[in-house]
């Protein structure tokens, strides 16, 4: 099942619309296969390339994916466990600024993404429909665990598209 409108903040519509599958576990699995195949083709010489002044390098963008996925997965875990404690937002630009991605190898950043994604798959594969439909609050907005899974898959696709359009 796809997340229904109103079960997630409207500003995530774009990410969710990029997901073709109608089942979260399948969506995450397909996203994983497609993105890992794609990032394995990224040229090392583009690792520290930024397409414009004050834009992230490819390394920073890839690390952003891991950082955001950790946060989104954590939210999904908390929501699925019926934790209604409001969770704070995060500033992705500060995360990138202090993440030191450009001091790391591209290979290490890709390996980190693979590890994070495997943990995400494990989490979502363990959740029942009841758990997926539980709601919580993140960044002052109500969202379900199910929607967080679609957001993760769509966020990955969004950035894959940006890499193809602006980095390669």
């Amino acid at each position: 099942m796809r997340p229904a409108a109103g079960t997630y903040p409207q500003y995530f519509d774009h990410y969710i619309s990029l997901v073709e599958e109608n089942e979260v576990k399948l969506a995450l699995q397909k996203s994983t296969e497609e993105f890992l195949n794609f990032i394995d083709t990224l040229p090392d010489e583009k690792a520290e390339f930024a397409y414009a002044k004050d834009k992230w390098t490819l390394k920073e963008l890839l690390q952003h994916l891991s950082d955001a996925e950790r946060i989104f997965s954590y939210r999904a875990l908390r929501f699925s466990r019926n934790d209604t404690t409001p969770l704070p937002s995060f500033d992705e630009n500060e995360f990138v600024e202090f993440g030191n991605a450009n001091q790391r190898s591209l290979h290490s950043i890709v390996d980190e993404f693979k590890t994070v994604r495997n943990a995400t798959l494990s989490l979502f594969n363990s959740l029942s429909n009841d758990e997926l439909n539980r709601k919580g609050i993140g960044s002052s907005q109500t969202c379900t665990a199910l929607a967080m899974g679609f957001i993760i898959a769509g966020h990955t696709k969004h950035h894959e598209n940006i890499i193809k359009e602006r980095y390669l």
Side-chain angles (χ1 to χ4, degrees), residues 90-156:
F90 72 103
D91 183 334
E92 65 272 8
N93 291 308
E94 283 194 15
F95 272 54
V96 169
E97 180 182 350
F98 295 103
N100 297 315
N102 292 321
Q103 281 67 57
R104 297 176 57 192
S105 71
L106 180 60
H107 178 77
S108 74
I109 294 169
V110 169
D111 278 350
E112 179 181 1
F113 176 81
K114 290 175 182 178
T115 300
V116 170
R117 180 51 65 95
N118 282 332
T120 298
L121 289 169
S122 182
L123 170 65
F124 278 90
N125 286 332
S126 75
L127 298 178
S128 69
N129 284 339
D130 285 343
E131 290 169 313
L132 286 168
N133 286 303
R134 291 182 185 144
K135 296 177 184 176
I137 299 171
S139 302
S140 303
Q141 301 289 319
T142 301
C143 192
T144 63
L146 173 68
M148 292 309 313
F150 276 82
I151 291 164
I152 290 167
H155 182 249
T156 304

Side-chain angles (χ1 to χ4, degrees), residues 3-21:
T7 63
Y8 58 89
Q10 186 177 4
Y11 54 81
F12 285 128
D13 275 342
H14 172 66
Y15 295 154
I16 292 173
S17 74
L18 293 174
V19 179
E20 296 175 3
E21 295 71 32

Side-chain angles (χ1 to χ4, degrees), residues 77-97:
L77 172 67
R78 297 276 300 262
F79 300 167
S80 74
R81 300 300 194 254
N82 210 34
D83 185 341
T84 58
T85 306
L87 301 174
S89 61
F90 72 103
D91 183 334
E92 65 272 8
N93 291 308
E94 283 194 15
F95 272 54
V96 169
E97 180 182 350

Side-chain angles (χ1 to χ4, degrees), residues 18 31 34 152-162 164:
L18 293 174
S31 167
E34 289 179 355
I152 290 167
H155 182 249
T156 304
K157 186 65 175 177
H158 167 76
H159 282 293
E160 179 182 338
N161 292 341
I162 288 176
K164 288 176 180 175

Side-chain angles (χ1 to χ4, degrees), residues 15-88:
Y15 295 154
I16 292 173
S17 74
L18 293 174
V19 179
E20 296 175 3
E21 295 71 32
N22 290 320
E23 200 278 319
V24 69
K25 295 168 189 175
L26 180 60
L28 286 166
Q29 187 59 48
K30 183 177 177 190
S31 167
T32 303
E33 292 166 7
E34 289 179 355
F35 193 67
L36 291 181
N37 287 334
F38 171 68
I39 61 176
D40 281 344
T41 69
L42 296 175
D44 287 336
E45 61 270 12
K46 290 285 191 170
E48 294 183 23
F49 171 77
Y51 65 88
K53 185 179 180 340
D54 297 324
K55 294 297 181 181
W56 298 341
T57 66
L58 183 58
K59 285 181 180 179
E60 290 170 331
L61 185 149
L62 292 172
Q63 184 168 309
H64 160 72
L65 284 172
S66 292
D67 289 349
E69 186 156 328
R70 281 184 168 110
I71 291 166
F72 294 156
S73 290
Y74 178 69
R75 289 178 180 177
L77 172 67
R78 297 276 300 262
F79 300 167
S80 74
R81 300 300 194 254
N82 210 34
D83 185 341
T84 58
T85 306
L87 301 174

